[in-house]
Amino acid sequence: ELCEFIGAERRGPVMLVTLERPKALNALCDQLTRELTTVLDAIEDDDSIGAAVLTGSTKAFAAGADIKEMQPKGFADVYLEDFITSSWERTARMRKPIIAAVSGYALGGGAELAMMCDFIIASDTAKFGQPEITIGILPGAGGTQRLTRAVGKSKAMDLVLTGRMIDAEEAERSGLVARVVPADALIDEAVAAATTIAGFSRPAVLMAKESVGRAFETPLAEGLRFERRMFHAAFATEGQAEGMDAFLAKRDAHYSGR
Ligand code: HXC
């Protein structure tokens, strides 16, 4: 299937997904969002893909929701179509791991899209911000919630209320990004991380992702309970038997994906 604004390229067990709308710095228009959903659905359905990387261009991961499309909308429009969260949240609903590889601007909805991924690897040129306040609105796809959980109240308030941008170094210091790498190493580093993940036991990876995700949604006692259930369930997988046997036999593990 042909996408105008989304590229999808196989790298072994990893799908590299690229936002490709350079004329608008990858602003997340309706069509781009629909295409992204289609591509993510296909990744989820393909057993041979173990993890994904979502990236943009050198200049911009994504400069936010498309302001040209938003400008004429009124309350009834955005409320009735549940703009825009309902369609974007496909990224947040991924079961397979998805890493955001961010270079250049990740602003507004672009930062929110990156935060919907499991973790962010940033190039040293990355800039993050929630500039919605500067155009008369507020973040609407997790920018007041995921950001606050990632960086805490003080930094989140600073970013959301002033609209200022932070660079990769400040983003890493704040806990928003997992690693910062030189710009020309960004894709390789992200694909390598995704390849590592894709090489592990598939059920263990999904359970681990699901369990960390719980930390964002439940009180500690509930989260710990959930983690323990998942941990116990992992002992029902072929991956557990193989992984531990391989360790004890001092050989590489070969996971069946079950
Ligand atoms: C539509 C956009 C855009 C956007 C950039 N462009 N961002 N179009 N929506 N969000 C377009 C510009 O209009 C311009 O088109 C082209 O991309 C290049 O952008 P420039 O501004 O000329 O580039 P530059 O001077 O380098 O500045 C880069 C920038 C700036 C600092 C990133 O573009 C900018 O401030 N963009 C808007 C950022 C923003 O406010 N994002 C939040 C949106 S609200 P032309 O045709 O003139 O060449 C949001 C809400 C999410 O995301 C809520 C979800 C529910």
Side-chain angles (χ1 to χ4, degrees), residues 123-157:
S123 91
D124 50 15
T125 65
K127 288 198 179 308
F128 296 86
Q130 298 291 161
E132 287 91 342
I133 199 72
T134 69
I135 55 170
I137 56 170
L138 68 155
T144 70
Q145 301 300 303
R146 289 193 182 93
L147 180 66
T148 306
R149 283 165 163 79
V151 305
K153 176 187 164 187
S154 189
K155 185 74 81 175
M157 284 287 192

Side-chain angles (χ1 to χ4, degrees), residues 203-204 207 229-241:
M207 287 177 191
R229 291 290 171 262
M230 286 289 122
F231 177 72
H232 294 159
F235 285 74
T237 65
E238 293 174 13
Q240 177 264 341

Side-chain angles (χ1 to χ4, degrees), residues 38 41-42 55 58 63 65 94 103 108 124 152 157 161 164 183-184 203 210 226 230-231 233 236-237 245 256:
T38 304
D41 281 340
T55 195
T58 316
M94 284 293 280
S103 187
D124 50 15
M157 284 287 192
L161 295 180
R164 81 176 172 94
D184 59 4
E210 207 182 339
F226 183 85
M230 286 289 122
F231 177 72
T237 65
D245 186 68
S256 66

Side-chain angles (χ1 to χ4, degrees), residues 1 9 18-19 31 33 39 53 63 68 77 98 104 113 117 138 144 157 161-163 180 182 184 201 224 229 258:
E1 180 162 344
E9 187 193 325
T18 307
L19 307 175
Q31 184 187 335
T33 303
V39 168
V53 171
K68 220 172 276 173
D77 300 311
I98 178 165
L113 183 63
C117 298
L138 68 155
T144 70
M157 284 287 192
L161 295 180
T162 71
V180 178
D184 59 4
S201 169
L224 288 170
R229 291 290 171 262
R258 310 286 296 178

Side-chain angles (χ1 to χ4, degrees), residues 147-179:
L147 180 66
T148 306
R149 283 165 163 79
V151 305
K153 176 187 164 187
S154 189
K155 185 74 81 175
M157 284 287 192
D158 179 1
L159 297 185
V160 169
L161 295 180
T162 71
R164 81 176 172 94
M165 289 185 215
I166 58 175
D167 62 16
E169 197 267 326
E170 186 174 357
E172 185 184 34
R173 191 162 16 99
S174 310
L176 179 61
V177 315
R179 321 177 187 177

Side-chain angles (χ1 to χ4, degrees), residues 86-109:
S86 58
S87 49
W88 287 11
E89 288 213 324
R90 183 68 191 88
T91 308
R93 283 200 323 276
M94 284 293 280
R95 295 192 76 214
K96 289 179 184 167
I98 178 165
I99 301 170
V102 174
S103 187
Y105 297 110
L107 301 178

